[in-house]
């Protein structure tokens, strides 16, 4: 078990490093593609437009290594990254790390609420639909899931705003920012998209479980449908749902960028879109790297969760690691 | 052709019909309708009529004209970037599978890293190079999408290269080009077609999402996401205006999903 874990973590760490380097390199070239003298631009951001002098610009140039040739500049840029120095924002001149720490909590809150809400919606629907395949609930949930999946997060967001806030008056769209506790709409938007897939995965897993020998044996030995489901069904049905969460993370991550912008949720995705708009390269680099690393981390957690939930995978992974 | 049609499931058939209709609109529409940017400030926010089947927007522009131009834009960008991504990905996959060694190791780890990043994040990064420009979105999309083709083609070519058929073809003295044309590419084709459908749908989606957030193409370009955010403030007065780009994008996604026949949707 430890052996597999070490193998897995090593591979993921390598991946994380390459992700950070890749994003950072793109940002470096981005910086050099901006028009105008970069040193003056950064000095203006730091000291205000009235205080920009040639001396200030030269100081910035020397500090950030902008006077070096391209390749040397890139090495210097990487070196700063390796020292975990993400620099200061061009717009607010606050350290990028500080800003991200502030936004990250908001994003995490949104993402976790969305995940939890999606599981609360998807698992019961999927399991009950799986109990009676081709019944009416199964058909309705299939149709709903196809349609929901066809709508990307921001379309779902718009539709929810239009439906809930303007027609039914449940929450006012103007109130849907974080200050008013408007977590419901953005989280629900993401959760519906996630649940569209998870409910089908849970349903298929449930059908599979009901067809299996161990489930029939549990029924034969006298367990009630519900008890057999709880003892033998849920855990087995959970494995594909957990494994699918890994695939779903892409959806969640992309959704976070868009949904935060739509609902003005002050998280990391909103910050990224804002930074791209303002050409704030340290912020772009910081937020993109954090999102990339977060993604690698989540995938690692999903891998580990699968290993824990499913002994068969543990066995297979041991054999793979041995050979 | 008829046999192929009959082999499809109902979902795929309806997806194919829907997609054909949308693509025909995108191809023929811009020829038939008027200019999408000419304004008529005397006739703003009009409801649908015979002259303007989808009404006019807040600047008195024809919604129908804007919609069909937006469709054409989305599809041409998507097809262009997916084709480039496929060509680059397959060539690099071929190189990696054929040469192996350090080239393969480097390419695979880069592909691994790009694969890790969500498509939207990569496109967002590249769109910062030249905001509101077509080419930066195109490069971003191609860069985000090539990895899938690389991974699939590398795996498939590796498997085909060791097959008995290729071995005997080699012994018979056929050259590399022949192997590529007759053995490697045909084995690859079906997967690549499916991947391309998904690629087109994620490209169209990324374009609209970026336009919607305000970092994609800029107004007055008729683009689905840009149109949505432009018309969003008017949903109380003119709900049919915001409905048309939303429904259009939904239909495109639905058609591609039905045609692609995702596994999680039996």
């Amino acid at each position: 078990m430890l052996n597999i874990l070490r193998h897995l973590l090593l591979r993921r760490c390598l991946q994380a490093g390459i992700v950070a380097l890749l994003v950072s390199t793109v940002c470096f070239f981005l910086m050099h593609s901006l028009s105008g003298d970069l040193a003056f631009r950064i000095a203006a951001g730091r000291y205000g437009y009235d205080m920009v002098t040639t001396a200030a610009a030269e100081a910035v140039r020397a500090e950030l290594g902008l006077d070096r040739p391209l390749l040397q500049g890139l090495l210097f840029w990487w070196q700063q990254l390796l020292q975990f120095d993400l620099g200061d924002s061009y717009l607010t001149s606050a350290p990028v790390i500080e800003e991200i720490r502030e936004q990250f909590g908001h994003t995490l809150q949104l993402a976790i609420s969305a995940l939890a809400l999606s599981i609360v919606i998807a698992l019961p629907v999927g399991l009950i639909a799986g109990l009676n395949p081709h019944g009416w609930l199964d058909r309705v949930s299939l149709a709903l899931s196809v349609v929901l999946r066809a709508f990307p997060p921001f379309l779902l967001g718009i539709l929810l705003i239009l439906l809930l806030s303007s027609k039914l008056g449940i929450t006012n769209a103007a109130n849907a920012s974080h200050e008013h506790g408007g977590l419901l709409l953005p989280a629900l938007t993401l959760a519906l998209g996630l649940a569209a897939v998870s409910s089908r995965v849970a349903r298929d897993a449930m059908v599979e479980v009901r067809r299996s020998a161990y489930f029939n044996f549990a029924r034969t030995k006298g367990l009630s449908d519900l008890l057999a489901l709880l003892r033998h069904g849920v855990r087995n049905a959970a494995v594909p749902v957990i494994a699918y969460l890994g695939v779903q993370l892409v959806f969640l991550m992309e959704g976070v960028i868009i949904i935060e912008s739509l609902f003005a949720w002050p998280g990391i995705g909103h910050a990224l879109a804002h930074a791209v708009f303002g050409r704030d390269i340290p912020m772009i680099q910081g937020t993109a790297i954090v999102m990339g690393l977060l993604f690698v981390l989540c995938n690692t957690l999903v891998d580990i969760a699968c290993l824990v939930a499913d002994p068969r995978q543990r066995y297979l992974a041991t054999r793979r690691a041995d050979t | 052709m008829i046999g192929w049609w009959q082999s499809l499931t109902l979902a795929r058939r309806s997806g194919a019909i829907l997609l054909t209709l949308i693509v025909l609109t995108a191809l023929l529409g811009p020829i038939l309708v008027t200019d999408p940017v000419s304004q008529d400030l005397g006739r703003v926010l009009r409801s649908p009529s015979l002259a303007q089947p989808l009404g006019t927007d807040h600047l008195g522009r024809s919604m129908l004209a804007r919609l069909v131009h937006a469709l054409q834009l989305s599809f041409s960008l998507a097809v262009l970037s997916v084709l480039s991504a496929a060509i680059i990905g397959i060539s690099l996959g071929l190189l990696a599978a054929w040469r192996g060694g350090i080239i393969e190791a480097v390419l695979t780890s880069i592909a691994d890293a790009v694969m890790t990043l969500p498509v939207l994040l990569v496109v967002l990064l590249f769109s910062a190079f030249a905001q509101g420009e077509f080419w930066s979105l195109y490069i971003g999309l191609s860069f985000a999408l090539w990895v899938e083709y690389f991974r699939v083609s590398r795996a498939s070519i590796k498997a085909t290269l060791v097959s008995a058929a290729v071995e005997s073809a080699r012994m018979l003295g056929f050259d590399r080009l022949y192997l590529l044309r007759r053995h490697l590419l045909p084995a690859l084709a079906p997967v690549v077609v499916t991947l391309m459908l998904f690629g087109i749908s994620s490209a169209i989606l990324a374009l609209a999402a970026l336009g919607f957030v305000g970092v994609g193409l800029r107004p007055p370009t008729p683009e689905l996401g840009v149109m949505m955010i432009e018309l969003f403030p008017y949903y109380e007065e003119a709900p049919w205006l915001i409905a048309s780009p939303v429904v259009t994008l939904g239909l495109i996604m639905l058609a591609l999903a039905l045609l692609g026949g995702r596994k999680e949707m039996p």
Side-chain angles (χ1 to χ4, degrees):
Chain A
M1 183 70 186
L2 268 179
N3 202 0
I4 316 161
L5 264 186
R6 204 164 50 220
H7 187 76
L8 191 121
L9 289 180
L10 203 70
R11 214 175 53 103
R12 289 292 187 185
C13 280
L14 188 72
Q15 203 180 22
I18 295 175
V19 165
L21 271 188
L22 200 72
V23 170
S24 164
T25 311
V26 172
C27 287
F28 176 79
F29 286 111
L30 179 60
M31 186 173 77
H32 279 267
S33 77
L34 291 187
S35 55
D37 191 324
L38 202 64
F40 276 96
R41 191 190 267 259
I42 297 170
R46 273 194 200 168
Y47 311 118
Y49 279 96
D50 297 337
M51 305 294 282
V52 182
T53 56
T54 320
E58 286 309 320
V60 168
R61 201 189 301 278
E63 182 198 330
L64 297 181
L66 297 175
D67 48 353
R68 296 157 201 242
L70 199 63
L71 199 66
Q72 214 179 349
L74 183 61
L75 288 179
F76 182 71
W77 183 261
W78 280 353
Q79 186 194 336
Q80 279 184 320
L81 179 73
L82 288 181
Q83 290 162 349
F84 297 103
D85 178 9
L86 291 174
D88 299 339
S89 162
Y90 288 172
L91 293 180
T92 63
S93 74
V96 170
I97 294 269
E98 294 295 320
E99 301 241 336
I100 290 179
R101 192 173 297 154
E102 165 83 23
Q103 295 144 1
F104 193 66
H106 292 294
T107 299
L108 212 58
Q109 189 190 4
L110 177 62
I112 290 178
S113 326
L115 260 185
L117 201 57
S118 82
I119 290 174
V120 169
I121 300 171
L123 262 191
V125 172
L127 291 185
I128 297 171
L131 277 181
N132 188 7
H134 307 295
W136 67 269
L137 184 71
D138 193 23
R139 283 163 199 272
V140 171
S141 74
L142 173 65
L144 266 182
S145 121
V146 171
V147 173
L148 278 182
R149 206 70 184 109
F151 282 95
F154 67 101
L155 280 193
L156 273 182
I158 294 180
L159 289 179
L160 279 181
I161 291 178
L162 295 185
L163 279 178
L164 294 182
S165 50
S166 70
K167 293 284 176 281
L168 307 176
I170 292 179
T171 40
N172 192 338
N175 280 345
S177 65
H178 67 293
E179 285 128 9
H180 300 272
L183 179 59
L184 179 69
L185 270 188
L188 186 65
T189 309
L190 288 173
L192 281 180
L194 291 173
V197 177
S198 327
S199 68
R200 297 315 294 173
V201 175
R203 179 257 180 204
D204 288 348
M206 193 58 218
V207 171
E208 198 66 25
V209 166
R210 275 179 60 87
R211 245 191 253 132
S212 69
Y214 58 80
F215 190 83
N216 281 330
F217 176 70
R219 293 282 291 125
T220 317
K221 81 180 177 190
L223 289 186
S224 72
D225 226 3
L226 184 69
L227 209 55
L229 181 67
L230 287 180
R231 285 280 173 74
H232 302 276
V234 173
R235 191 175 158 122
N236 278 297
V239 173
V241 176
I242 295 174
Y244 243 87
L245 281 183
V247 182
Q248 297 258 71
L249 281 174
V250 183
F251 176 85
L252 192 60
M253 195 73 80
E254 294 193 343
V256 157
I257 300 177
I258 299 304
I259 291 300
E260 284 184 350
S261 301
L262 173 59
F263 290 95
W265 187 261
I268 202 165
H270 186 232
L272 177 62
H274 204 71
V276 168
F277 196 74
R279 300 281 184 87
D280 186 354
I281 292 159
M283 273 307 279
I284 298 179
Q285 171 178 271
T287 42
I289 285 182
V290 168
M291 288 186 109
L293 292 189
L294 186 68
F295 199 59
V296 176
L297 178 72
C298 291
N299 272 320
T300 317
L301 290 181
V302 168
D303 283 354
I304 295 175
C306 280
L307 283 182
V308 172
D310 190 352
R312 286 165 299 182
Q313 284 198 25
R314 234 161 18 216
Y315 174 69
L316 280 178
T318 320
R319 288 192 40 182
R320 253 206 316 270
D322 286 344
T323 50
Chain B
M1 191 67 192
I2 293 170
W4 170 78
W5 179 251
Q6 278 169 347
S7 74
L8 296 182
T9 58
L10 184 65
R12 287 194 172 209
R13 273 186 220 178
S14 40
I17 293 174
L18 197 55
L19 192 66
T20 315
L21 287 179
I22 297 170
V23 170
L24 276 183
T25 319
L27 284 179
L28 300 178
I31 307 168
L32 301 175
V33 297
T34 49
D35 187 13
V37 289
S38 72
Q39 303 179 358
D40 182 358
L41 294 174
R43 306 163 55 83
V44 298
L45 300 178
R46 291 290 168 91
S47 44
S49 63
L50 269 182
Q52 293 295 347
L54 292 174
T56 57
D57 70 359
H58 57 296
L59 295 173
R61 297 173 293 196
S62 161
M63 273 305 283
L64 183 68
R66 290 182 68 70
L67 203 65
V68 290
H69 276 90
L71 269 180
Q72 190 182 37
L73 181 74
S74 292
F75 271 103
S76 40
L77 181 65
V79 169
L80 200 63
S81 41
V82 163
L83 278 182
S84 331
I87 291 170
I88 295 170
I90 293 174
S91 321
L92 288 179
L94 188 66
L95 184 72
W98 211 306
R99 280 295 170 83
I102 186 105
I103 297 178
E104 188 182 13
V106 169
L107 281 174
T108 315
S109 37
I110 292 178
D112 233 23
V114 179
M115 196 80 172
T116 314
L117 296 168
V119 172
L120 197 61
L121 189 60
V122 177
V123 184
L124 201 61
L125 270 181
F126 276 87
S127 77
F129 273 97
Q131 220 184 311
E133 297 279 342
F134 192 83
W135 66 264
S136 63
L137 291 169
Y138 161 68
I139 292 180
L141 277 172
S142 314
F143 187 77
L145 293 174
W146 71 272
V147 280
E148 293 177 353
Y149 302 96
F150 169 77
R151 288 164 68 104
V152 165
S153 59
R154 178 177 146 258
S156 157
I157 288 170
K158 274 198 138 173
T160 322
L161 273 182
V162 296
S163 68
V166 168
E167 203 175 331
S168 33
R170 269 185 169 167
M171 281 179 181
L172 286 170
F174 285 112
D175 62 357
R176 290 180 171 188
L177 207 64
Y178 176 88
L179 284 182
L180 188 67
R181 220 176 51 233
R182 298 304 295 265
H183 290 281
L184 302 181
L185 292 185
L188 199 57
V191 198
V192 166
V193 170
T194 315
L195 270 184
M196 279 180 154
L197 282 180
F198 288 130
I200 286 176
S201 102
S202 49
I204 289 178
L205 205 56
L207 184 65
L210 289 189
F212 184 74
V213 176
V215 292
L217 296 173
R218 291 224 178 96
T221 318
E223 194 274 318
L224 292 173
V226 175
M227 283 165 76
M228 280 178 215
I229 201 66
E230 276 180 343
L231 297 170
F232 197 54
Y234 303 101
Y235 69 80
E236 298 256 344
E237 300 102 295
W240 63 88
L241 286 183
I242 179 94
S244 54
V246 168
V247 169
T248 309
L249 189 57
L251 282 181
I252 298 174
M253 292 301 127
L254 190 64
L256 286 169
L258 286 174
L259 189 62
R262 293 201 184 166
K263 213 179 155 208
E264 69 256 22
M265 289 196 275

